[in-house]
Amino acid sequence: MGKDTNKTPGQLYHERLKRIEDAIELKVPDRVPVICDFGLLPARYAGMPIKDAYYEPEKLAAATKKLVTDLEPDMFHSILFLSGSVWEILDTKVMKWPGHGGPIDHVNQYVEWDFMKADEYDAFLQDPVDFILRTHLPQTCGALAPFKKLPNLGLLLYIDRGGGPLVSFADPEIWAAFETLHKAGLEQLRWFHIRMAFVEEMEKLGFPSMYIPPLVQVPFDNISDHLRGLHGSMLDMYRQPDKLHKAIEKLMPLMLNIVKDWAAIVKSRPHAPTLVPWGPHRGADPFMSPKQYEEFYWPWLKSLIQAIIAEGITPYMFWEGDITSRLEHLLELPKGKMICRFDVTDIFKAKEILGGHHCIAGGVSSAMLQTATVQEVKDHCKKLIDVVGKDGGYIMHHSCALDEAKPENVKAMIDTCKEYGVYN
Amino acid sequence: MSDDLVKTLADLKEKEALKIVEDRINAGEAALKVLNDARKAMEIVGKRFANGEYFIPELVYSGEIMKGITNILRPKLAHAAEFKRVGKVVLGTVAGDIHDLGLNIVDFMLDVNGFEVYNLGTDVPPQKFVDKIRETGAPIVGLSGMLTLAIDSMKETVQLIKAAGLRDEVKIMIGGIPSVDDNVRKYVGADGFGRDAMAAIAMAKEWTGGKK
C-alpha cells in the first residue's frame, strides 16, 4: 500500500479525524477507519529492550513515531507511557514490571489482594480519603507506609491554631514519605511533558491520538480493583450487599468529579479528538449474573456514560471480556455519541443489536495478529468490512493491546481498510 | 437430613449449611458422610455453572462456604477423605503470566467432575510442568494464560514436554487467551483449546475415555 503522500499533514489529520467522527455519528465515512492500541509493539518493532519502555520515555516516543508513520493508522493510543521509575520511587506493591517481579521482556501486570478487609467498609464509608491515605496507601506503596502513623484527618481542622496533628509533620519518617510523594510527582510530570510533546508532534505529522488516560471507573470496578479485590467484591455481593451498595454510592461523586476534569482537558484542546478511553471489566458476562449486573453495575455505568456525553466528551468504551449478554442495555444510551470497542464479544451479534445506534469497533483478535498469516488476516478483515462495516458506523480495531503481534499482520489489517474498505 | 445439606449448600445458603453440618456432627454422624453430601452439593454448583445458571461469584462463594464446612469437619476426619477419581490433570498458568482466575475455575470444575488436579499456580516455568508430569504420571496437561505473552510461553512449554520425551504420554489443552482458536492451538502445538471451563471438562472426559 502506498503511503498517503499527496496531501499535507494538516489535511491528513482532518481527514483521519473526520473519518472517525463520521463513524461515531453513524454516517458512512469515505472508508472504514482503523484505530490501533499498539501496547508494547512499538518497542519490539524498534528493537529496543522492553524494559526501556518503562524507563526511557523519549525512546518509547521515537519508537511509537516510527511504527505510526510506517503503518499510518487513522488514530492510535498514546497513553501507554507508564513510568517504572515512578513505581520504583513509590515502591509500589500493586505492579510487576520488567526487572521488578515481571518478565524482563513483557508487559507489566497488576497484583491484587483484599487491600480493604471485609470488616473495613465502615471506616471507608465514614471517610474514604482518610481511609485511602492512612490505611490503603501504606499497604500498597512501601514508601508511603509511614502514613499509617498519621492521626485522623478530621483533626487537620485545628492546625490553623497550632494544634491538631501538627507534631506528626515533625516525624522524620512521615516527612520522608511526603518528600517521596514530591519526588514521584516530579518524575510523573517529566513523563507527562515528554508524552504531551510527542502527542503534539504526531498531531503536526497528521496523526490524531487517544491521549487522555482512562481514570473514570464504574464504582464496582473501583471497589473490586482497588479496594476489596475480585474475590472480596464477589463475596460482598452475597455477604454484605448493603455495605457494597453504600460504597458504590460513596464513590459516584468522586467519579463525576473526574468527568469534569476530563471535560476541562477536552475543551482546552479543541483540535484534538474528544475521545476518552475507558474499560469497564468486572461486569462482563461470566463475572456477574444478569441480576447482579442490574443490582451492582449497570445503573451507575449508565449514569456515568450519560454524564460524560453531557459534558461534550465522546466515550471510547473498551468493553473488556465478553459482554454479549449485556448488549441490549447499551441501547438505553443516546445514539451516535460513543465508540463501543469490543474484546471477545461476538462482533456480528453486536452489529445486529447495536448497528444504527452505536459505532462499533473491533473484530480482529490480537491472538490472530500474533499467530495467523497475512492472508488470513486480510480475509478476516474483508469479512468484517462486508458485514460489520455495512452502512458505516464501524471502526476496524483489534481486541487487546498489540504487545506481541506481528507487524506485518497489523499492517495487513490497516491496509485492508485502505484497499478494500472504501465506501462507494 | 443429607438432602437438606445438599440442597442448602447448592443454593448457597451459607449460615443454614454451616448449621446443618454442626448439627449433624453434634448428633454423632460420621464426618465423612457429611463431607460426601457437601461434595454432592458442589457437583450441583458445577452443573449450574455449566448450565449458565450460576456465574463466577457463585463459584467463589460456594468455595468459601465449603472452606467453612471443611474447617468444621477436618478435626473429625480420621484420615484424608478419599474419592474415586477418574483421572489426573496437571494445570498451571504458564511462565510470565500471573493471572489465576480462569485457572482456578478450571481447577474447580475438574475437581467437582471427579478429576485429581495438580494445580501448579501461576508463572510456572516449563520445567516445572515436565517435573510434575513425571512425578504424577498425569495423562492430561492444562496450560492457562491470559495475556498474549502466554502464547509463546505455552509454545515453549509444549516444546520442553516434547524434548523431555513426554509428548506422546500426555494430551495438552490450552485456554484463557481471549479469542483462543485453532490457529493459536496449532501455533502452540497443543491437542485442544477451550474458551471456557466447560470445554476443558469435555476435553478431559474425552481424553480419559469417558463420555462427554
Side-chain angles (χ1 to χ4, degrees):
Chain A
M1 184 72 200
K3 290 168 79 86
D4 300 321
T5 45
N6 301 328
K7 294 169 182 156
T8 67
Q11 284 170 322
L12 288 168
Y13 181 90
H14 289 291
E15 261 182 27
R16 288 175 179 136
L17 200 53
K18 176 153 193 328
R19 199 167 283 140
I20 288 163
E21 285 167 355
D22 282 349
I24 294 167
E25 290 165 20
L26 309 170
K27 294 178 195 157
V28 178
D30 58 345
R31 66 160 169 80
V32 171
V34 51
I35 300 180
C36 287
D37 178 0
F38 286 123
L40 288 171
L41 187 64
R44 283 193 208 290
Y45 186 66
M48 69 188 260
I50 294 302
K51 189 171 189 277
D52 290 0
Y54 293 92
Y55 287 91
E56 298 188 42
E58 293 96 338
K59 256 172 105 170
L60 178 62
T64 308
K65 179 179 164 185
K66 169 139 182 61
L67 186 59
V68 172
T69 51
D70 281 359
L71 302 190
E72 300 188 326
D74 293 304
M75 192 183 284
F76 71 101
H77 288 236
S78 57
I79 44 178
L80 178 75
F81 290 67
L82 299 169
S83 167
S85 42
V86 167
W87 293 336
E88 262 187 50
I89 295 168
L90 293 171
D91 184 19
T92 181
K93 311 294 182 198
V94 302
M95 194 71 77
K96 290 188 177 195
W97 72 99
H100 289 263
I104 199 75
D105 52 354
H106 287 298
V107 71
N108 60 293
Q109 296 177 58
Y110 296 92
V111 184
E112 181 184 300
W113 66 92
D114 53 342
F115 310 103
M116 180 171 109
K117 305 296 172 229
D119 60 1
E120 287 181 323
Y121 266 99
D122 288 340
F124 175 79
L125 290 169
Q126 200 190 343
D127 190 342
V129 176
D130 182 85
F131 185 84
I132 291 164
L133 187 71
R134 299 196 301 142
T135 309
H136 188 86
L137 292 176
Q139 284 182 67
T140 58
C141 297
L144 305 183
F147 285 165
K148 62 175 174 262
K149 295 201 287 180
L150 281 169
N152 188 301
L153 289 188
L155 298 169
L156 285 174
L157 193 58
Y158 303 110
I159 280 186
D160 52 7
R161 299 175 183 200
L166 203 49
V167 290
S168 302
F169 295 97
D171 182 307
E173 286 182 6
I174 289 177
W175 190 242
F178 277 110
E179 282 185 328
T180 303
L181 267 186
H182 178 60
K183 208 174 145 196
L186 287 173
E187 181 63 4
Q188 190 65 41
L189 187 65
R190 184 175 80 84
W191 276 68
F192 174 79
H193 286 317
I194 293 167
R195 184 171 71 82
M196 284 314 291
F198 164 67
V199 166
E200 283 165 14
E201 183 191 358
M202 293 308 292
E203 286 171 352
K204 287 195 183 87
L205 289 171
F207 298 96
S209 74
M210 199 99 58
Y211 69 97
I212 303 175
L215 294 170
V216 167
Q217 279 195 303
V218 201
F220 184 88
D221 279 353
N222 208 281
I223 292 164
S224 186
D225 287 357
H226 301 281
L227 295 167
R228 292 284 293 128
L230 181 76
H231 200 256
S233 61
M234 285 181 168
L235 293 178
D236 294 343
M237 289 196 276
Y238 276 99
R239 284 179 173 162
Q240 38 186 356
D242 295 346
K243 288 192 174 164
L244 178 55
H245 266 135
K246 281 184 185 155
I248 286 171
E249 291 295 350
K250 196 89 186 177
L251 284 164
M252 257 319 254
L254 303 181
M255 294 300 135
L256 290 166
N257 282 340
I258 300 174
V259 173
K260 299 268 177 207
D261 292 346
W262 268 354
I265 301 173
V266 166
K267 276 174 194 137
S268 72
R269 304 182 79 248
H271 64 285
T274 57
L275 290 163
V276 286
W278 179 15
H281 43 276
R282 290 192 175 163
D285 279 356
F287 287 83
M288 281 184 182
S289 68
K291 189 172 163 280
Q292 287 159 345
Y293 188 69
E294 296 266 10
E295 204 179 333
F296 298 101
Y297 209 87
W298 174 245
W300 296 274
L301 176 55
K302 183 178 164 183
S303 300
L304 279 168
I305 295 175
Q306 285 169 331
I308 291 169
I309 292 172
E311 289 287 350
I313 307 170
T314 310
Y316 163 96
M317 307 300 296
F318 177 27
W319 300 105
E320 294 181 30
D322 186 350
I323 66 148
T324 307
S325 86
R326 323 280 195 225
L327 289 170
E328 304 271 355
H329 284 284
L330 301 182
L331 294 172
E332 295 167 36
L333 295 163
K335 209 171 160 176
K337 296 283 184 193
M338 61 194 268
I339 293 178
C340 290
R341 166 185 170 191
F342 293 108
D343 183 7
V344 291
T345 297
D346 181 341
I347 195 95
F348 300 104
K349 184 105 188 264
K351 176 73 176 181
E352 265 172 45
I353 296 175
L354 302 178
H357 195 102
H358 291 307
C359 171
I360 294 167
V364 186
S365 92
S366 302
M368 175 180 222
L369 294 177
Q370 184 175 351
T371 59
T373 63
V374 164
Q375 194 54 48
E376 284 166 338
V377 171
K378 282 191 173 173
D379 292 344
H380 180 69
C381 290
K382 281 181 183 173
K383 185 179 163 198
L384 287 170
I385 289 167
D386 288 341
V387 182
V388 191
K390 193 170 182 291
D391 303 325
Y394 172 61
I395 296 171
M396 181 73 70
H397 210 311
H398 50 86
S399 55
C400 55
L402 296 176
D403 298 330
E404 271 85 23
K406 288 182 199 158
E408 63 269 28
N409 281 350
V410 183
K411 186 174 186 319
M413 173 183 79
I414 295 169
D415 287 353
T416 307
C417 293
K418 298 177 185 174
E419 291 160 5
Y420 187 80
V422 178
Y423 289 101
N424 295 313
Chain B
M1 238 178 135
S2 78
D3 286 351
D4 285 355
L5 178 59
V6 176
K7 186 176 181 331
T8 312
L9 175 53
D11 290 347
L12 307 178
K13 291 185 177 142
E14 182 172 22
K15 282 181 190 150
E16 289 92 320
L18 291 174
K19 176 146 192 332
I20 294 172
V21 171
E22 296 264 14
D23 289 350
R24 285 174 63 175
I25 290 297
N26 290 340
E29 210 179 316
L32 193 58
K33 196 158 173 281
V34 180
L35 188 62
N36 272 324
D37 287 340
R39 287 198 62 90
K40 274 184 211 157
M42 295 303 270
E43 278 174 35
I44 296 173
V45 170
K47 278 186 189 137
R48 289 182 183 169
F49 179 71
N51 294 339
E53 203 180 324
Y54 278 179
F55 295 80
I56 299 171
E58 285 69 41
L59 292 191
V60 168
Y61 190 37
S62 68
E64 281 295 304
I65 304 174
M66 192 64 192
K67 258 189 223 164
I69 292 174
T70 43
N71 281 344
I72 300 170
L73 298 180
R74 193 173 296 118
K76 312 277 180 192
L77 287 166
H79 50 83
E82 281 177 21
F83 299 94
K84 200 175 145 246
R85 296 291 184 174
V86 295
K88 292 176 178 177
V89 183
V90 170
L91 267 193
T93 299
V94 294
D97 197 322
I98 59 171
H99 290 84
D100 65 0
L101 180 65
L103 174 78
N104 291 334
I105 293 170
V106 172
D107 182 343
F108 179 101
M109 292 295 283
L110 283 168
D111 182 64
V112 298
N113 278 280
F115 287 87
E116 185 156 9
V117 182
Y118 300 91
N119 187 339
L120 301 177
T122 64
D123 192 11
V124 181
Q127 188 61 46
K128 244 179 116 176
F129 281 102
V130 169
D131 294 345
K132 204 68 188 178
I133 296 166
R134 283 220 173 97
E135 180 197 321
T136 62
I140 299 172
V141 179
L143 304 179
S144 177
M146 163 78 184
L147 301 169
T148 50
L149 68 87
I151 296 177
D152 281 321
S153 260
M154 287 172 174
K155 190 176 182 170
E156 284 157 26
T157 307
V158 173
Q159 280 167 348
L160 194 73
I161 291 172
K162 200 173 173 185
L166 294 167
R167 187 64 187 87
D168 295 337
E169 315 294 316
V170 292
K171 290 274 196 184
I172 302 173
M173 62 172 90
I174 60 169
I177 313 256
S179 311
V180 60
D181 60 10
D182 204 51
N183 256 328
V184 179
R185 180 197 66 76
K186 274 188 229 153
Y187 178 89
V188 165
D191 300 297
F193 70 93
R195 289 194 177 175
D196 55 35
M198 281 59 82
I201 305 310
M203 277 186 278
K205 284 186 175 172
E206 194 191 330
W207 292 346
T208 44
K211 58 182 190 307
K212 269 191 207 182

